[in-house]
Amino acid sequence: MFKFIKGHLESITGIEIYPLISLLIFFIFFVVLFYWVITAKKDYITTVSNIPLDNQNDTTI
């Protein structure tokens, strides 16, 4: 199965750029996410982390 796919992919010109683009998107996403986590305010993190424990907004159906 892999030989079949590999044979077709080798015949496409310019296909070698797609793994590089996907690696760049992956890397940039996690760098931005890491930056957001480092710069997030403590009050916001505390508020968001307590949302599941907040019973004031619970409604029983």
Side-chain angles (χ1 to χ4, degrees):
M1 179 71 178
F2 184 67
K3 290 180 184 179
F4 179 74
I5 295 171
K6 186 178 177 185
H8 285 291
L9 289 178
E10 288 176 347
S11 65
I12 301 173
T13 57
I15 196 71
E16 64 274 356
I17 193 71
Y18 289 108
L20 293 175
I21 291 172
S22 63
L23 179 67
L24 267 171
I25 290 171
F26 179 80
F27 183 74
I28 290 171
F29 173 77
F30 281 103
V31 166
V32 169
L33 188 65
F34 181 73
Y35 176 75
W36 179 79
V37 167
I38 295 300
T39 60
K41 297 192 183 303
K42 289 279 189 177
D43 294 336
Y44 176 73
I45 299 296
T46 304
T47 304
V48 172
S49 65
N50 287 330
I51 288 175
L53 303 174
D54 187 16
N55 291 331
Q56 294 176 358
N57 294 332
D58 285 347
T59 58
T60 306
I61 297 177

